[in-house]
PDB file of all heavy atoms in Angstrom:
ATOM      1  N   MET A  76     113.574  97.860 107.242  1.00 78.00           N
ATOM      2  CA  MET A  76     112.807  98.836 106.515  1.00 78.00           C
ATOM      3  C   MET A  76     113.236 100.233 106.966  1.00 78.00           C
ATOM      4  O   MET A  76     113.276 100.508 108.155  1.00 78.00           O
ATOM      5  CB  MET A  76     111.311  98.625 106.797  1.00 78.00           C
ATOM      6  CG  MET A  76     110.430  99.727 106.311  1.00 78.00           C
ATOM      7  SD  MET A  76     108.675  99.527 106.641  1.00 78.00           S
ATOM      8  CE  MET A  76     108.624  99.572 108.417  1.00 78.00           C
ATOM      9  N   SER A  83     106.255 107.397 113.109  1.00 88.00           N
ATOM     10  CA  SER A  83     105.910 106.007 112.853  1.00 88.00           C
ATOM     11  C   SER A  83     105.337 105.413 114.136  1.00 88.00           C
ATOM     12  O   SER A  83     105.981 105.453 115.183  1.00 88.00           O
ATOM     13  CB  SER A  83     107.165 105.241 112.427  1.00 88.00           C
ATOM     14  OG  SER A  83     106.871 103.895 112.201  1.00 88.00           O
ATOM     15  N   LEU A  84     104.115 104.896 114.048  1.00 91.00           N
ATOM     16  CA  LEU A  84     103.431 104.345 115.213  1.00 91.00           C
ATOM     17  C   LEU A  84     103.220 102.852 115.014  1.00 91.00           C
ATOM     18  O   LEU A  84     102.531 102.440 114.081  1.00 91.00           O
ATOM     19  CB  LEU A  84     102.074 105.040 115.403  1.00 91.00           C
ATOM     20  CG  LEU A  84     102.113 106.564 115.497  1.00 91.00           C
ATOM     21  CD1 LEU A  84     100.715 107.138 115.392  1.00 91.00           C
ATOM     22  CD2 LEU A  84     102.787 106.987 116.776  1.00 91.00           C
ATOM     23  N   LYS A  85     103.809 102.050 115.868  1.00 94.00           N
ATOM     24  CA  LYS A  85     103.648 100.605 115.791  1.00 94.00           C
ATOM     25  C   LYS A  85     102.335 100.216 116.454  1.00 94.00           C
ATOM     26  O   LYS A  85     101.988 100.731 117.519  1.00 94.00           O
ATOM     27  CB  LYS A  85     104.813  99.917 116.511  1.00 94.00           C
ATOM     28  CG  LYS A  85     104.840  98.427 116.374  1.00 94.00           C
ATOM     29  CD  LYS A  85     106.090  97.881 117.061  1.00 94.00           C
ATOM     30  CE  LYS A  85     106.184  96.393 116.915  1.00 94.00           C
ATOM     31  NZ  LYS A  85     107.409  95.885 117.567  1.00 94.00           N
ATOM     32  N   GLY A  86     101.592  99.345 115.805  1.00 96.00           N
ATOM     33  CA  GLY A  86     100.312  98.942 116.368  1.00 96.00           C
ATOM     34  C   GLY A  86      99.828  97.618 115.821  1.00 96.00           C
ATOM     35  O   GLY A  86     100.537  96.932 115.089  1.00 96.00           O
ATOM     36  N   THR A  87      98.604  97.294 116.180  1.00 97.00           N
ATOM     37  CA  THR A  87      97.971  96.044 115.774  1.00 97.00           C
ATOM     38  C   THR A  87      96.663  96.354 115.065  1.00 97.00           C
ATOM     39  O   THR A  87      95.890  97.194 115.529  1.00 97.00           O
ATOM     40  CB  THR A  87      97.678  95.174 117.022  1.00 97.00           C
ATOM     41  OG1 THR A  87      98.904  94.971 117.730  1.00 97.00           O
ATOM     42  CG2 THR A  87      97.105  93.830 116.629  1.00 97.00           C
ATOM     43  N   VAL A  88      96.433  95.668 113.945  1.00 97.00           N
ATOM     44  CA  VAL A  88      95.196  95.868 113.207  1.00 97.00           C
ATOM     45  C   VAL A  88      94.032  95.413 114.081  1.00 97.00           C
ATOM     46  O   VAL A  88      94.004  94.266 114.533  1.00 97.00           O
ATOM     47  CB  VAL A  88      95.198  95.107 111.865  1.00 97.00           C
ATOM     48  CG1 VAL A  88      93.852  95.244 111.179  1.00 97.00           C
ATOM     49  CG2 VAL A  88      96.313  95.613 110.964  1.00 97.00           C
ATOM     50  N   LYS A  89      93.111  96.317 114.315  1.00 98.00           N
ATOM     51  CA  LYS A  89      91.952  96.033 115.158  1.00 98.00           C
ATOM     52  C   LYS A  89      90.761  95.603 114.306  1.00 98.00           C
ATOM     53  O   LYS A  89      90.135  94.582 114.587  1.00 98.00           O
ATOM     54  CB  LYS A  89      91.620  97.290 115.965  1.00 98.00           C
ATOM     55  CG  LYS A  89      90.636  97.119 117.075  1.00 98.00           C
ATOM     56  CD  LYS A  89      90.575  98.422 117.873  1.00 98.00           C
ATOM     57  CE  LYS A  89      89.582  98.343 118.992  1.00 98.00           C
ATOM     58  NZ  LYS A  89      89.543  99.608 119.755  1.00 98.00           N
ATOM     59  N   THR A  90      90.449  96.397 113.283  1.00 98.00           N
ATOM     60  CA  THR A  90      89.358  96.047 112.369  1.00 98.00           C
ATOM     61  C   THR A  90      89.720  96.461 110.951  1.00 98.00           C
ATOM     62  O   THR A  90      90.492  97.395 110.735  1.00 98.00           O
ATOM     63  CB  THR A  90      88.020  96.730 112.742  1.00 98.00           C
ATOM     64  OG1 THR A  90      88.177  98.137 112.663  1.00 98.00           O
ATOM     65  CG2 THR A  90      87.542  96.329 114.121  1.00 98.00           C
ATOM     66  N   ILE A  91      89.131  95.756 109.998  1.00 98.00           N
ATOM     67  CA  ILE A  91      89.279  96.058 108.576  1.00 98.00           C
ATOM     68  C   ILE A  91      87.888  96.106 107.982  1.00 98.00           C
ATOM     69  O   ILE A  91      87.118  95.154 108.120  1.00 98.00           O
ATOM     70  CB  ILE A  91      90.110  94.980 107.857  1.00 98.00           C
ATOM     71  CG1 ILE A  91      91.495  94.859 108.486  1.00 98.00           C
ATOM     72  CG2 ILE A  91      90.211  95.282 106.364  1.00 98.00           C
ATOM     73  CD1 ILE A  91      92.298  93.687 107.974  1.00 98.00           C
ATOM     74  N   VAL A 100      91.106 100.844 107.807  1.00 97.00           N
ATOM     75  CA  VAL A 100      91.876 100.001 108.714  1.00 97.00           C
ATOM     76  C   VAL A 100      92.014 100.738 110.043  1.00 97.00           C
ATOM     77  O   VAL A 100      92.524 101.860 110.084  1.00 97.00           O
ATOM     78  CB  VAL A 100      93.274  99.685 108.142  1.00 97.00           C
ATOM     79  CG1 VAL A 100      94.033  98.731 109.056  1.00 97.00           C
ATOM     80  CG2 VAL A 100      93.168  99.101 106.732  1.00 97.00           C
ATOM     81  N   VAL A 101      91.564 100.115 111.124  1.00 97.00           N
ATOM     82  CA  VAL A 101      91.708 100.685 112.461  1.00 97.00           C
ATOM     83  C   VAL A 101      92.875  99.978 113.134  1.00 97.00           C
ATOM     84  O   VAL A 101      92.908  98.750 113.215  1.00 97.00           O
ATOM     85  CB  VAL A 101      90.419 100.522 113.300  1.00 97.00           C
ATOM     86  CG1 VAL A 101      90.613 101.096 114.691  1.00 97.00           C
ATOM     87  CG2 VAL A 101      89.240 101.186 112.604  1.00 97.00           C
ATOM     88  N   ILE A 102      93.838 100.773 113.594  1.00 97.00           N
ATOM     89  CA  ILE A 102      95.053 100.251 114.211  1.00 97.00           C
ATOM     90  C   ILE A 102      95.111 100.720 115.655  1.00 97.00           C
ATOM     91  O   ILE A 102      95.004 101.923 115.928  1.00 97.00           O
ATOM     92  CB  ILE A 102      96.299 100.760 113.459  1.00 97.00           C
ATOM     93  CG1 ILE A 102      96.209 100.375 111.978  1.00 97.00           C
ATOM     94  CG2 ILE A 102      97.581 100.241 114.086  1.00 97.00           C
ATOM     95  CD1 ILE A 102      97.033 101.256 111.085  1.00 97.00           C
ATOM     96  N   GLU A 103      95.262  99.783 116.568  1.00 97.00           N
ATOM     97  CA  GLU A 103      95.414 100.139 117.987  1.00 97.00           C
ATOM     98  C   GLU A 103      96.897 100.340 118.252  1.00 97.00           C
ATOM     99  O   GLU A 103      97.686  99.408 118.145  1.00 97.00           O
ATOM    100  CB  GLU A 103      94.844  99.049 118.887  1.00 97.00           C
ATOM    101  CG  GLU A 103      94.901  99.425 120.357  1.00 97.00           C
ATOM    102  CD  GLU A 103      94.211  98.413 121.250  1.00 97.00           C
ATOM    103  OE1 GLU A 103      94.487  97.200 121.089  1.00 97.00           O
ATOM    104  OE2 GLU A 103      93.420  98.826 122.097  1.00 97.00           O
ATOM    105  N   VAL A 104      97.282 101.593 118.581  1.00 96.00           N
ATOM    106  CA  VAL A 104      98.685 101.914 118.814  1.00 96.00           C
ATOM    107  C   VAL A 104      99.047 101.922 120.303  1.00 96.00           C
ATOM    108  O   VAL A 104     100.229 101.901 120.656  1.00 96.00           O
ATOM    109  CB  VAL A 104      99.071 103.260 118.149  1.00 96.00           C
ATOM    110  CG1 VAL A 104      98.944 103.157 116.644  1.00 96.00           C
ATOM    111  CG2 VAL A 104      98.246 104.404 118.685  1.00 96.00           C
ATOM    112  N   ALA A 105      98.043 101.960 121.151  1.00 96.00           N
ATOM    113  CA  ALA A 105      98.200 101.879 122.603  1.00 96.00           C
ATOM    114  C   ALA A 105      96.835 101.487 123.152  1.00 96.00           C
ATOM    115  O   ALA A 105      95.830 101.649 122.464  1.00 96.00           O
ATOM    116  CB  ALA A 105      98.654 103.220 123.179  1.00 96.00           C
ATOM    117  N   ALA A 119      95.519  97.117 100.617  1.00 96.00           N
ATOM    118  CA  ALA A 119      95.183  96.267 101.762  1.00 96.00           C
ATOM    119  C   ALA A 119      95.414  94.799 101.422  1.00 96.00           C
ATOM    120  O   ALA A 119      95.949  94.033 102.232  1.00 96.00           O
ATOM    121  CB  ALA A 119      93.736  96.498 102.187  1.00 96.00           C
ATOM    122  N   ALA A 121      97.477  93.653  99.005  1.00 96.00           N
ATOM    123  CA  ALA A 121      98.908  93.445  98.785  1.00 96.00           C
ATOM    124  C   ALA A 121      99.668  93.319 100.104  1.00 96.00           C
ATOM    125  O   ALA A 121     100.635  92.558 100.198  1.00 96.00           O
ATOM    126  CB  ALA A 121      99.482  94.589  97.952  1.00 96.00           C
ATOM    127  N   LEU A 122      99.229  94.066 101.125  1.00 96.00           N
ATOM    128  CA  LEU A 122      99.858  94.000 102.442  1.00 96.00           C
ATOM    129  C   LEU A 122      99.397  92.791 103.253  1.00 96.00           C
ATOM    130  O   LEU A 122      99.915  92.536 104.341  1.00 96.00           O
ATOM    131  CB  LEU A 122      99.564  95.280 103.232  1.00 96.00           C
ATOM    132  CG  LEU A 122     100.215  96.557 102.702  1.00 96.00           C
ATOM    133  CD1 LEU A 122      99.643  97.780 103.414  1.00 96.00           C
ATOM    134  CD2 LEU A 122     101.724  96.492 102.875  1.00 96.00           C
ATOM    135  N   GLU A 123      98.415  92.077 102.712  1.00 96.00           N
ATOM    136  CA  GLU A 123      97.845  90.904 103.391  1.00 96.00           C
ATOM    137  C   GLU A 123      97.419  91.249 104.814  1.00 96.00           C
ATOM    138  O   GLU A 123      97.716  90.531 105.771  1.00 96.00           O
ATOM    139  CB  GLU A 123      98.835  89.736 103.375  1.00 96.00           C
ATOM    140  CG  GLU A 123      99.188  89.282 101.971  1.00 96.00           C
ATOM    141  CD  GLU A 123     100.206  88.153 101.924  1.00 96.00           C
ATOM    142  OE1 GLU A 123     100.781  87.800 102.983  1.00 96.00           O
ATOM    143  OE2 GLU A 123     100.431  87.633 100.821  1.00 96.00           O
ATOM    144  N   LEU A 124      96.703  92.376 104.943  1.00 97.00           N
ATOM    145  CA  LEU A 124      96.255  92.818 106.259  1.00 97.00           C
ATOM    146  C   LEU A 124      95.212  91.876 106.822  1.00 97.00           C
ATOM    147  O   LEU A 124      94.376  91.344 106.100  1.00 97.00           O
ATOM    148  CB  LEU A 124      95.672  94.231 106.171  1.00 97.00           C
ATOM    149  CG  LEU A 124      96.655  95.328 105.792  1.00 97.00           C
ATOM    150  CD1 LEU A 124      95.943  96.672 105.733  1.00 97.00           C
ATOM    151  CD2 LEU A 124      97.827  95.380 106.749  1.00 97.00           C
ATOM    152  N   ALA A 125      95.279  91.679 108.128  1.00 97.00           N
ATOM    153  CA  ALA A 125      94.321  90.842 108.840  1.00 97.00           C
ATOM    154  C   ALA A 125      94.252  91.346 110.274  1.00 97.00           C
ATOM    155  O   ALA A 125      95.219  91.913 110.792  1.00 97.00           O
ATOM    156  CB  ALA A 125      94.749  89.386 108.815  1.00 97.00           C
ATOM    157  N   GLU A 126      93.110  91.149 110.902  1.00 98.00           N
ATOM    158  CA  GLU A 126      92.973  91.548 112.303  1.00 98.00           C
ATOM    159  C   GLU A 126      94.030  90.833 113.132  1.00 98.00           C
ATOM    160  O   GLU A 126      94.282  89.648 112.944  1.00 98.00           O
ATOM    161  CB  GLU A 126      91.566  91.235 112.807  1.00 98.00           C
ATOM    162  CG  GLU A 126      90.512  92.113 112.169  1.00 98.00           C
ATOM    163  CD  GLU A 126      89.104  91.835 112.675  1.00 98.00           C
ATOM    164  OE1 GLU A 126      88.942  91.086 113.650  1.00 98.00           O
ATOM    165  OE2 GLU A 126      88.156  92.372 112.070  1.00 98.00           O
ATOM    166  N   GLY A 127      94.672  91.585 114.012  1.00 98.00           N
ATOM    167  CA  GLY A 127      95.708  91.033 114.870  1.00 98.00           C
ATOM    168  C   GLY A 127      97.116  91.152 114.299  1.00 98.00           C
ATOM    169  O   GLY A 127      98.094  90.924 115.002  1.00 98.00           O
ATOM    170  N   LYS A 128      97.240  91.529 113.020  1.00 97.00           N
ATOM    171  CA  LYS A 128      98.559  91.653 112.399  1.00 97.00           C
ATOM    172  C   LYS A 128      99.244  92.919 112.884  1.00 97.00           C
ATOM    173  O   LYS A 128      98.635  93.966 113.018  1.00 97.00           O
ATOM    174  CB  LYS A 128      98.426  91.676 110.874  1.00 97.00           C
ATOM    175  CG  LYS A 128      99.762  91.699 110.152  1.00 97.00           C
ATOM    176  CD  LYS A 128      99.597  91.501 108.658  1.00 97.00           C
ATOM    177  CE  LYS A 128     100.975  91.406 108.001  1.00 97.00           C
ATOM    178  NZ  LYS A 128     100.883  91.035 106.596  1.00 97.00           N
ATOM    179  N   GLU A 129     100.541  92.829 113.144  1.00 97.00           N
ATOM    180  CA  GLU A 129     101.325  93.979 113.567  1.00 97.00           C
ATOM    181  C   GLU A 129     101.670  94.816 112.337  1.00 97.00           C
ATOM    182  O   GLU A 129     102.108  94.286 111.308  1.00 97.00           O
ATOM    183  CB  GLU A 129     102.605  93.511 114.257  1.00 97.00           C
ATOM    184  CG  GLU A 129     103.381  94.601 114.933  1.00 97.00           C
ATOM    185  CD  GLU A 129     104.545  94.029 115.717  1.00 97.00           C
ATOM    186  OE1 GLU A 129     104.330  93.654 116.883  1.00 97.00           O
ATOM    187  OE2 GLU A 129     105.650  93.967 115.154  1.00 97.00           O
ATOM    188  N   VAL A 130     101.468  96.132 112.447  1.00 97.00           N
ATOM    189  CA  VAL A 130     101.733  97.056 111.344  1.00 97.00           C
ATOM    190  C   VAL A 130     102.343  98.344 111.890  1.00 97.00           C
ATOM    191  O   VAL A 130     102.377  98.561 113.105  1.00 97.00           O
ATOM    192  CB  VAL A 130     100.440  97.397 110.557  1.00 97.00           C
ATOM    193  CG1 VAL A 130      99.855  96.172 109.895  1.00 97.00           C
ATOM    194  CG2 VAL A 130      99.421  98.069 111.451  1.00 97.00           C
ATOM    195  N   TYR A 131     102.785  99.186 110.987  1.00 94.00           N
ATOM    196  CA  TYR A 131     103.271 100.513 111.342  1.00 94.00           C
ATOM    197  C   TYR A 131     102.397 101.539 110.638  1.00 94.00           C
ATOM    198  O   TYR A 131     102.197 101.452 109.424  1.00 94.00           O
ATOM    199  CB  TYR A 131     104.728 100.706 110.914  1.00 94.00           C
ATOM    200  CG  TYR A 131     105.695  99.872 111.708  1.00 94.00           C
ATOM    201  CD1 TYR A 131     105.982  98.574 111.333  1.00 94.00           C
ATOM    202  CD2 TYR A 131     106.304 100.381 112.850  1.00 94.00           C
ATOM    203  CE1 TYR A 131     106.863  97.790 112.059  1.00 94.00           C
ATOM    204  CE2 TYR A 131     107.189  99.610 113.594  1.00 94.00           C
ATOM    205  CZ  TYR A 131     107.464  98.311 113.186  1.00 94.00           C
ATOM    206  OH  TYR A 131     108.319  97.551 113.925  1.00 94.00           O
ATOM    207  N   ALA A 132     101.897 102.511 111.385  1.00 92.00           N
ATOM    208  CA  ALA A 132     101.167 103.633 110.810  1.00 92.00           C
ATOM    209  C   ALA A 132     102.182 104.767 110.690  1.00 92.00           C
ATOM    210  O   ALA A 132     102.721 105.233 111.695  1.00 92.00           O
ATOM    211  CB  ALA A 132     100.006 104.039 111.707  1.00 92.00           C
ATOM    212  N   MET A 133     102.462 105.165 109.466  1.00 91.00           N
ATOM    213  CA  MET A 133     103.453 106.216 109.240  1.00 91.00           C
ATOM    214  C   MET A 133     102.747 107.484 108.781  1.00 91.00           C
ATOM    215  O   MET A 133     101.970 107.446 107.830  1.00 91.00           O
ATOM    216  CB  MET A 133     104.480 105.761 108.225  1.00 91.00           C
ATOM    217  CG  MET A 133     105.334 104.633 108.784  1.00 91.00           C
ATOM    218  SD  MET A 133     106.601 104.086 107.669  1.00 91.00           S
ATOM    219  CE  MET A 133     105.630 103.039 106.607  1.00 91.00           C
TER     220      MET A 133
END
Side-chain angles (χ1 to χ4, degrees):
M76 169 181 64
S83 179
L84 305 168
K85 186 177 182 179
T87 304
V88 175
K89 192 173 179 180
T90 62
I91 301 171
V100 184
V101 179
I102 304 157
E103 184 174 49
V104 296
L122 292 170
E123 299 178 352
L124 295 180
E126 291 181 9
K128 184 171 185 172
E129 190 174 274
V130 297
Y131 291 87
M133 292 182 280

